[in-house]
Structures are given as C-alpha cells and as structure tokens.
Amino acid sequence: MAKPIVAIVGKPNVGKSTFFNYLAGTRISIVQDTPGVTRDRVYAETNWRGRDFTLIDTGGIEPESQDIILSQMREQAELAISMADVIIFLTDVKQGVTAADREIALMLKKSKKQIVLVCNKADNFEKDRNEIYEFYNLGLGEPFPISASNAIGIGDVLDEIYEKLPPIDEEDDERQEIKVAVIRKTKCPENHL
Ligand SMILES: Nc1nc2c(ncn2[C@@H]2O[C@H](COP(=O)(O)OP(=O)(O)O)[C@@H](O)[C@H]2O)c(=O)[nH]1
Ligand SMILES: [Mg+2]
C-alpha cells in the first residue's frame, strides 16, 4: 500500500526544517538562522501509531527578498495543496499572526484539504498561551503549540495528523508514484536529491 503524503508549509524561519528533522529523526534538512540558503532536502519516510507516511519539508531554497518570499510561499502552498493528503501549516508564535500567515491560511482553507495548524517556538506554553489564542483567527481550527527545538507538543501534532490521514485503502500506488515524481521535478530541478 502506498503511503500518504504529509507536507509542511509556512514562512521562512518558522522552524519547518527543525520540525521536519525531528520527525525524520535525522538532520537531512538544513536549519538556518537566517532565511536564504536552505538548499536541500526534504523527504522522509516516517510513521506514527503504525501508519507510515512520507513527510515533505516544502522549504527548499528560502529567498531573502520579501516579494520573492511571498511568491515562493504561494507556490509551496499550491504544491502542498495539489500533492499532500495532510498539510501542516507551521507558524511562529513569537511573531504572532502575520499578513503572510493570513494569506497562506486563506489558500489552505479554500483548498478543503486536511490542515493541521501548528504554532512553533512555543518554548513556554504558559507564557505563550495568549499568543497561541490569536491563531484561532486564521479559521483553521485549533492551533497546536509546539517547540520543535525542545521537542515539546510533537505527539499531539502527530496524533492530529494520524486522525487526518486518508483511510488505509484509499491510496493507490500509481497515484502515489505520480505525486512523488511531480514533487521531485518541481522541488529538485537540478537534481539535488
Ligand atoms: N526558540 C525556538 N527556536 C526555534 C524552534 N524551532 C526552530 N527554531 C529556530 O528557528 C530558526 C529557523 O529554523 P528552520 O528550521 O531553519 O526554519 P525554516 O526556515 O522554517 O525551515 C533556527 O534558528 C531554529 O533553531 C523552537 O521551537 N523554538
Ligand atoms: Mg528550512
């Protein structure tokens, strides 16, 4: 049986690669202090509660210019919408809700895909609580606070992903192969795999 695809989308620097690496259990994706240089890579086979899935960090090359950041975020969200079974929308609780978050949220909402809204950098749940509430305004349901770098809250996110995965016999192998081929083509034009 083919595996469902779970994609992580979000602005540069919210912690997508940190979260991905933690779930992948390896440091295949490059973590950057400043957006701009992340080049590699982005797939991991993982599982939770006995369900296997392919996890994708859509971050890729993260540009510095605001305009390019926005257009790339749109592209990444579109890619995730077209390919993924479940989309993890990662935000940064320390920044609060930004215009870019609102725009991505709108795209995701319209898509009718399964979305898990995650507020990263909630290093201290008590202290960050009020900021987390603000994320309900995105209209994507309950925000899940996590601290990817401190491995806090991850189990709840995985449980939510698990709940939103398609039923076991809905995936077919051929469709999965096509999806992965398209992602590779889109994300790795120079064969950086
Ligand atoms: N305080 C805090 N910093 C984090 C957390 N997760 C990631 N970071 C930091 O945020 C920065 C960007 O992380 P990265 O994973 O490269 O973000 P990406 O651009 O979304 O892939 C790095 O300096 C990380 O160490 C977290 O849970 N708490
Ligand atoms: Mg990254």
PDB file of all heavy atoms in Angstrom, residues 80-99:
ATOM      1  N   ALA A  80       1.794  21.945  -2.085  1.00  0.00           N
ATOM      2  CA  ALA A  80       1.309  21.096  -0.990  1.00  0.00           C
ATOM      3  C   ALA A  80      -0.162  20.761  -1.180  1.00  0.00           C
ATOM      4  O   ALA A  80      -0.586  19.621  -0.985  1.00  0.00           O
ATOM      5  CB  ALA A  80       1.529  21.793   0.353  1.00  0.00           C
ATOM      6  N   ILE A  81      -0.933  21.773  -1.616  1.00  0.00           N
ATOM      7  CA  ILE A  81      -2.363  21.547  -1.817  1.00  0.00           C
ATOM      8  C   ILE A  81      -2.586  20.489  -2.891  1.00  0.00           C
ATOM      9  O   ILE A  81      -3.442  19.624  -2.772  1.00  0.00           O
ATOM     10  CB  ILE A  81      -3.078  22.873  -2.177  1.00  0.00           C
ATOM     11  CG1 ILE A  81      -3.175  23.768  -0.933  1.00  0.00           C
ATOM     12  CG2 ILE A  81      -4.467  22.622  -2.772  1.00  0.00           C
ATOM     13  CD1 ILE A  81      -3.509  25.222  -1.231  1.00  0.00           C
ATOM     14  N   SER A  82      -1.774  20.545  -3.950  1.00  0.00           N
ATOM     15  CA  SER A  82      -2.004  19.596  -5.036  1.00  0.00           C
ATOM     16  C   SER A  82      -1.499  18.193  -4.706  1.00  0.00           C
ATOM     17  O   SER A  82      -2.011  17.221  -5.252  1.00  0.00           O
ATOM     18  CB  SER A  82      -1.377  20.104  -6.336  1.00  0.00           C
ATOM     19  OG  SER A  82      -0.001  20.235  -6.167  1.00  0.00           O
ATOM     20  N   MET A  83      -0.497  18.086  -3.853  1.00  0.00           N
ATOM     21  CA  MET A  83       0.154  16.789  -3.650  1.00  0.00           C
ATOM     22  C   MET A  83      -0.176  16.105  -2.331  1.00  0.00           C
ATOM     23  O   MET A  83      -0.165  14.885  -2.255  1.00  0.00           O
ATOM     24  CB  MET A  83       1.689  16.954  -3.647  1.00  0.00           C
ATOM     25  CG  MET A  83       2.245  17.550  -4.881  1.00  0.00           C
ATOM     26  SD  MET A  83       1.876  16.491  -6.276  1.00  0.00           S
ATOM     27  CE  MET A  83       2.005  17.672  -7.595  1.00  0.00           C
ATOM     28  N   ALA A  84      -0.372  16.902  -1.290  1.00  0.00           N
ATOM     29  CA  ALA A  84      -0.380  16.298   0.046  1.00  0.00           C
ATOM     30  C   ALA A  84      -1.775  15.822   0.444  1.00  0.00           C
ATOM     31  O   ALA A  84      -2.786  16.362  -0.005  1.00  0.00           O
ATOM     32  CB  ALA A  84       0.140  17.304   1.065  1.00  0.00           C
ATOM     33  N   ASP A  85      -1.791  14.826   1.287  1.00  0.00           N
ATOM     34  CA  ASP A  85      -3.048  14.381   1.883  1.00  0.00           C
ATOM     35  C   ASP A  85      -3.364  15.203   3.127  1.00  0.00           C
ATOM     36  O   ASP A  85      -4.513  15.483   3.428  1.00  0.00           O
ATOM     37  CB  ASP A  85      -2.932  12.894   2.259  1.00  0.00           C
ATOM     38  CG  ASP A  85      -2.701  12.046   1.023  1.00  0.00           C
ATOM     39  OD1 ASP A  85      -3.652  11.890   0.250  1.00  0.00           O
ATOM     40  OD2 ASP A  85      -1.555  11.587   0.814  1.00  0.00           O
ATOM     41  N   VAL A  86      -2.295  15.552   3.845  1.00  0.00           N
ATOM     42  CA  VAL A  86      -2.445  16.388   5.039  1.00  0.00           C
ATOM     43  C   VAL A  86      -1.376  17.475   4.963  1.00  0.00           C
ATOM     44  O   VAL A  86      -0.232  17.201   4.596  1.00  0.00           O
ATOM     45  CB  VAL A  86      -2.245  15.561   6.339  1.00  0.00           C
ATOM     46  CG1 VAL A  86      -2.361  16.445   7.574  1.00  0.00           C
ATOM     47  CG2 VAL A  86      -3.243  14.408   6.413  1.00  0.00           C
ATOM     48  N   ILE A  87      -1.770  18.718   5.297  1.00  0.00           N
ATOM     49  CA  ILE A  87      -0.808  19.826   5.269  1.00  0.00           C
ATOM     50  C   ILE A  87      -0.613  20.350   6.687  1.00  0.00           C
ATOM     51  O   ILE A  87      -1.581  20.681   7.377  1.00  0.00           O
ATOM     52  CB  ILE A  87      -1.310  20.963   4.356  1.00  0.00           C
ATOM     53  CG1 ILE A  87      -1.464  20.441   2.922  1.00  0.00           C
ATOM     54  CG2 ILE A  87      -0.354  22.157   4.411  1.00  0.00           C
ATOM     55  CD1 ILE A  87      -2.157  21.408   1.981  1.00  0.00           C
ATOM     56  N   ILE A  88       0.648  20.404   7.096  1.00  0.00           N
ATOM     57  CA  ILE A  88       0.970  21.019   8.378  1.00  0.00           C
ATOM     58  C   ILE A  88       1.343  22.461   8.090  1.00  0.00           C
ATOM     59  O   ILE A  88       2.311  22.735   7.373  1.00  0.00           O
ATOM     60  CB  ILE A  88       2.171  20.315   9.044  1.00  0.00           C
ATOM     61  CG1 ILE A  88       1.855  18.836   9.259  1.00  0.00           C
ATOM     62  CG2 ILE A  88       2.530  20.985  10.360  1.00  0.00           C
ATOM     63  CD1 ILE A  88       3.067  18.035   9.672  1.00  0.00           C
ATOM     64  N   PHE A  89       0.547  23.370   8.611  1.00  0.00           N
ATOM     65  CA  PHE A  89       0.821  24.798   8.416  1.00  0.00           C
ATOM     66  C   PHE A  89       1.552  25.287   9.660  1.00  0.00           C
ATOM     67  O   PHE A  89       0.973  25.412  10.733  1.00  0.00           O
ATOM     68  CB  PHE A  89      -0.494  25.540   8.197  1.00  0.00           C
ATOM     69  CG  PHE A  89      -0.343  27.022   8.025  1.00  0.00           C
ATOM     70  CD1 PHE A  89       0.821  27.580   7.520  1.00  0.00           C
ATOM     71  CD2 PHE A  89      -1.384  27.864   8.368  1.00  0.00           C
ATOM     72  CE1 PHE A  89       0.944  28.954   7.363  1.00  0.00           C
ATOM     73  CE2 PHE A  89      -1.271  29.237   8.211  1.00  0.00           C
ATOM     74  CZ  PHE A  89      -0.098  29.786   7.709  1.00  0.00           C
ATOM     75  N   LEU A  90       2.846  25.531   9.487  1.00  0.00           N
ATOM     76  CA  LEU A  90       3.679  25.897  10.621  1.00  0.00           C
ATOM     77  C   LEU A  90       3.781  27.421  10.719  1.00  0.00           C
ATOM     78  O   LEU A  90       4.060  28.097   9.722  1.00  0.00           O
ATOM     79  CB  LEU A  90       5.071  25.287  10.437  1.00  0.00           C
ATOM     80  CG  LEU A  90       5.857  25.019  11.719  1.00  0.00           C
ATOM     81  CD1 LEU A  90       5.181  23.932  12.542  1.00  0.00           C
ATOM     82  CD2 LEU A  90       7.284  24.585  11.411  1.00  0.00           C
ATOM     83  N   THR A  91       3.528  27.935  11.930  1.00  0.00           N
ATOM     84  CA  THR A  91       3.630  29.379  12.178  1.00  0.00           C
ATOM     85  C   THR A  91       4.556  29.587  13.368  1.00  0.00           C
ATOM     86  O   THR A  91       4.958  28.628  14.027  1.00  0.00           O
ATOM     87  CB  THR A  91       2.241  29.968  12.490  1.00  0.00           C
ATOM     88  OG1 THR A  91       1.715  29.303  13.653  1.00  0.00           O
ATOM     89  CG2 THR A  91       1.276  29.789  11.326  1.00  0.00           C
ATOM     90  N   ASP A  92       4.861  30.854  13.617  1.00  0.00           N
ATOM     91  CA  ASP A  92       5.806  31.198  14.687  1.00  0.00           C
ATOM     92  C   ASP A  92       5.070  32.009  15.739  1.00  0.00           C
ATOM     93  O   ASP A  92       4.658  33.145  15.488  1.00  0.00           O
ATOM     94  CB  ASP A  92       6.950  32.012  14.059  1.00  0.00           C
ATOM     95  CG  ASP A  92       8.007  32.451  15.082  1.00  0.00           C
ATOM     96  OD1 ASP A  92       7.716  32.425  16.296  1.00  0.00           O
ATOM     97  OD2 ASP A  92       9.106  32.831  14.642  1.00  0.00           O
ATOM     98  N   VAL A  93       4.889  31.421  16.905  1.00  0.00           N
ATOM     99  CA  VAL A  93       4.111  32.079  17.943  1.00  0.00           C
ATOM    100  C   VAL A  93       4.799  33.361  18.421  1.00  0.00           C
ATOM    101  O   VAL A  93       4.143  34.301  18.847  1.00  0.00           O
ATOM    102  CB  VAL A  93       3.833  31.088  19.111  1.00  0.00           C
ATOM    103  CG1 VAL A  93       5.032  30.929  20.016  1.00  0.00           C
ATOM    104  CG2 VAL A  93       2.616  31.524  19.903  1.00  0.00           C
ATOM    105  N   LYS A  94       6.105  33.411  18.284  1.00  0.00           N
ATOM    106  CA  LYS A  94       6.820  34.612  18.754  1.00  0.00           C
ATOM    107  C   LYS A  94       6.552  35.805  17.834  1.00  0.00           C
ATOM    108  O   LYS A  94       6.595  36.948  18.265  1.00  0.00           O
ATOM    109  CB  LYS A  94       8.315  34.328  18.865  1.00  0.00           C
ATOM    110  CG  LYS A  94       8.607  33.286  19.948  1.00  0.00           C
ATOM    111  CD  LYS A  94      10.045  33.339  20.403  1.00  0.00           C
ATOM    112  CE  LYS A  94      10.411  32.179  21.323  1.00  0.00           C
ATOM    113  NZ  LYS A  94       9.567  32.100  22.531  1.00  0.00           N
ATOM    114  N   GLN A  95       6.280  35.512  16.558  1.00  0.00           N
ATOM    115  CA  GLN A  95       5.937  36.598  15.624  1.00  0.00           C
ATOM    116  C   GLN A  95       4.461  36.937  15.670  1.00  0.00           C
ATOM    117  O   GLN A  95       4.055  37.995  15.203  1.00  0.00           O
ATOM    118  CB  GLN A  95       6.247  36.171  14.186  1.00  0.00           C
ATOM    119  CG  GLN A  95       7.710  36.172  13.838  1.00  0.00           C
ATOM    120  CD  GLN A  95       7.912  35.817  12.361  1.00  0.00           C
ATOM    121  OE1 GLN A  95       6.995  35.912  11.542  1.00  0.00           O
ATOM    122  NE2 GLN A  95       9.113  35.399  12.037  1.00  0.00           N
ATOM    123  N   GLY A  96       3.641  36.047  16.180  1.00  0.00           N
ATOM    124  CA  GLY A  96       2.195  36.225  16.102  1.00  0.00           C
ATOM    125  C   GLY A  96       1.722  35.997  14.665  1.00  0.00           C
ATOM    126  O   GLY A  96       2.497  35.588  13.803  1.00  0.00           O
ATOM    127  N   VAL A  97       0.424  36.298  14.451  1.00  0.00           N
ATOM    128  CA  VAL A  97      -0.150  36.096  13.120  1.00  0.00           C
ATOM    129  C   VAL A  97       0.309  37.242  12.215  1.00  0.00           C
ATOM    130  O   VAL A  97       0.124  38.408  12.547  1.00  0.00           O
ATOM    131  CB  VAL A  97      -1.687  36.074  13.186  1.00  0.00           C
ATOM    132  CG1 VAL A  97      -2.284  35.984  11.784  1.00  0.00           C
ATOM    133  CG2 VAL A  97      -2.172  34.918  14.051  1.00  0.00           C
ATOM    134  N   THR A  98       0.896  36.910  11.077  1.00  0.00           N
ATOM    135  CA  THR A  98       1.359  37.945  10.141  1.00  0.00           C
ATOM    136  C   THR A  98       0.485  37.917   8.881  1.00  0.00           C
ATOM    137  O   THR A  98      -0.289  36.984   8.668  1.00  0.00           O
ATOM    138  CB  THR A  98       2.822  37.716   9.724  1.00  0.00           C
ATOM    139  OG1 THR A  98       2.870  36.505   8.948  1.00  0.00           O
ATOM    140  CG2 THR A  98       3.749  37.585  10.923  1.00  0.00           C
ATOM    141  N   ALA A  99       0.672  38.951   8.056  1.00  0.00           N
ATOM    142  CA  ALA A  99      -0.101  39.025   6.806  1.00  0.00           C
ATOM    143  C   ALA A  99       0.164  37.793   5.939  1.00  0.00           C
ATOM    144  O   ALA A  99      -0.748  37.247   5.309  1.00  0.00           O
ATOM    145  CB  ALA A  99       0.264  40.297   6.049  1.00  0.00           C
TER     146      ALA A  99
END
